[in-house]
Amino acid sequence: MPQPPPRTAFVFAGGGSLGAIQVGALREIVATGERPDFVVGASVGALNACFYAARPDAEGVQALEAIWRGLKRNDVFPLTLRGAMGWFRGGGSLFESLALRGLIERHLPLRDLEDAAIPVHVVATNLSGAPVCLSRGGAADAVLASAAIPIAFPSVRIGDDHLMDGAIAGNTPILTAAELGATRIIVLQTGYACSIDGPPNGAVARGMHALTLLIANQMERDLRLLEGKVEVHVAPHLCPLDVSPFNFDHSAALIERAARHTRAWLDTGGLSRSDSSTVFDHDHAAMMMAAPAAGGYDLVSYFADGGEPRLGAPEFKVEHEGRLYSFADAANRDRFTAGPERYLPQYGAYCAYAMARGSRVKGSPRFYRIVDGRLYFNVNASVHAKWERDAADQIRRADANWRVAQDKRET
């Protein structure tokens, strides 16, 4: 007897502003002709899932991408006097949900979940911590409930339940998809900021970062539960990633970077092999990305006309002295290979200002300057400004400290 065709589900996990990563991955997956039987989403993934379910084609993904490219933090988390006063009076949430509701209602081409072109299911959490799967009723209410991050937004009442962020539930959209009958699941994850220099600023930003870690751990656990039972394909995470899930300024870059990684994953058979829970392993040392590193940026691009740094692509990689460097194109990769020392950042990519003081602090490729043909990184904008006030003296002192450090290493 012939086997029935697999029932495919797209699963959209949560991740705040990192939901932009899903859009880049979705663009490439849809371009292969993939169309799921249904979709499941939680938190910000609920918004992406509902939008895609309403317009499940390349044009719909393009429209979703346009929305993400225009998003600002105040569109989602507007700090208002009324919201702040409510918080101090014990209201329980720092932000009002009016702006987020307006954003959803303005852009979501769907009034009720059951009106979608393909079935869509939204995962939220009730006050007892149990998952609630919403498949009918108002789409805006469902997305708002699933994205109601505790402390940030008030819970949303639907029926008898007061609902909040779906990421808090004991299970994830992966298990929900399997329970709904999926035999083949494609996971569009957001990942998490694995290379930030310190805790994100602000209670909400720190809470959202913790939430993304929770989501990743839950998905790893749930994938172990499904091994051998359901075919699962997990689109790649971005690493290194130093963008807070509270920061919406990098959506365009995240979309393009995710698209490149997903395209390479597809080209190497990502949808032809089932992933195990090890796909969520996140070991920088094993990935040859241990600090200090270039943060995935194309080092040659710093020296091009205009000096605008570009992110490297996964298909253009070179290993040099135990580290893996990515380049935007084959030409830049070949230039680096011909003479790496010309392009490598000084002091092993440590912060130049810190090195001038004899300290090793990971530099950021976003704060840089080329002086006499040498590339220098600093840790952040304020430190970089201090360094630039007397760059010549800073370089002289850092060079001396670096020589001492290298001499000690050799002996």
Side-chain angles (χ1 to χ4, degrees):
M1 180 179 294
Q3 292 293 319
R7 293 197 74 218
T8 297
F10 283 3
V11 166
F12 296 78
S17 66
L18 303 184
I21 293 170
Q22 293 175 340
V23 181
L26 184 63
R27 182 213 295 172
E28 300 304 317
I29 293 171
V30 169
T32 69
E34 281 284 348
R35 180 177 169 123
D37 295 286
F38 64 92
V39 299
V40 183
S43 196
V44 71
L47 175 60
N48 287 339
C50 285
F51 195 102
Y52 172 71
R55 300 182 60 183
D57 53 31
E59 289 74 20
V61 176
Q62 187 176 14
L64 179 60
E65 182 177 330
I67 295 169
W68 271 98
R69 287 178 179 271
L71 277 184
K72 301 297 180 185
R73 190 172 70 184
N74 280 342
D75 295 329
V76 181
F77 300 103
L79 187 57
T80 63
L81 180 59
R82 188 167 70 171
M85 292 300 293
W87 166 261
F88 286 118
R89 291 170 181 164
S93 58
L94 184 58
F95 303 101
E96 297 181 279
S97 58
L98 291 176
L100 181 55
R101 178 179 288 278
L103 178 71
I104 295 168
E105 292 179 342
R106 187 163 59 251
H107 292 295
L108 190 61
L110 191 64
R111 179 175 177 178
D112 294 314
L113 296 174
E114 60 266 34
D115 296 334
I118 56 176
V120 57
H121 308 275
V122 172
V123 179
T125 308
N126 66 21
L127 294 183
S128 67
V132 175
C133 182
L134 303 168
S135 306
R136 300 183 64 83
D141 283 343
V143 172
L144 204 60
S146 186
I149 303 164
I151 300 178
F153 292 119
S155 60
V156 176
R157 182 167 184 171
I158 297 180
D160 295 330
D161 284 317
H162 292 269
L163 302 176
M164 54 188 171
D165 196 299
I168 301 166
N171 70 350
T172 68
I174 296 178
L175 280 188
T176 300
E179 291 166 359
L180 289 168
T183 57
R184 179 173 178 262
I185 297 173
I186 298 174
V187 181
L188 293 98
Q189 61 170 322
T190 59
Y192 55 89
C194 58
S195 293
I196 51 178
D197 295 318
N201 293 325
V204 175
R206 289 193 292 272
M208 290 184 67
H209 178 62
L211 201 59
T212 59
L213 298 177
L214 173 68
I215 292 167
N217 289 333
Q218 286 178 338
M219 287 200 296
E220 180 181 0
R221 177 207 64 194
D222 291 348
L223 199 51
R224 284 198 301 270
L225 293 174
L226 294 178
E227 283 178 14
K229 303 173 184 176
V230 178
E231 180 183 341
V232 182
H233 309 280
V234 183
H237 58 249
L238 300 186
C239 177
L241 182 61
D242 60 358
V243 178
S244 162
F246 195 53
N247 185 346
F248 287 80
D249 294 339
H250 303 279
S251 293
L254 291 176
I255 289 170
E256 295 305 324
R257 188 176 168 197
R260 288 196 299 269
H261 279 255
T262 303
R263 188 160 55 247
W265 173 72
L266 291 167
D267 289 344
T268 55
L271 290 180
S272 63
R273 59 178 181 270
S274 188
D275 288 316
S276 68
S277 58
T278 59
V279 74
F280 292 108
D281 289 349
H282 209 101
D283 185 347
H284 283 199
M287 299 167 81
M288 293 186 291
M289 289 181 180
Y297 280 83
D298 178 340
L299 291 176
V300 177
S301 66
Y302 287 89
F303 295 85
D305 291 339
E308 185 67 26
R310 301 161 63 194
L311 282 168
E315 58 264 40
F316 303 116
K317 292 180 179 178
V318 169
E319 181 185 353
H320 177 70
E321 295 184 346
R323 297 192 184 98
L324 201 63
Y325 294 91
S326 297
F327 300 89
D329 51 44
N332 279 4
R333 178 198 60 197
D334 295 344
R335 290 187 185 100
F336 178 85
T337 302
E341 296 304 323
R342 176 183 173 188
Y343 302 106
L344 289 170
Q346 300 302 299
Y347 321 127
Y350 286 117
C351 172
Y353 183 86
M355 185 55 61
R357 284 144 188 81
S359 298
R360 295 192 181 196
V361 177
K362 180 183 177 183
S364 169
R366 298 199 303 273
F367 306 102
Y368 65 93
R369 183 177 166 191
I370 295 174
V371 179
D372 295 331
R374 301 165 71 194
L375 176 61
Y376 299 88
F377 288 164
N378 278 301
V379 66
N380 57 39
S382 61
V383 167
H384 187 67
K386 293 177 183 178
W387 180 84
E388 287 206 311
R389 289 179 196 139
D390 191 8
D393 184 58
Q394 301 283 349
I395 291 170
R396 178 185 59 78
R397 294 162 57 191
D399 284 350
N401 288 333
W402 183 247
R403 282 194 296 270
V404 170
Q406 295 305 103
D407 289 344
K408 287 182 178 178
R409 183 178 179 182
E410 292 174 1
T411 57

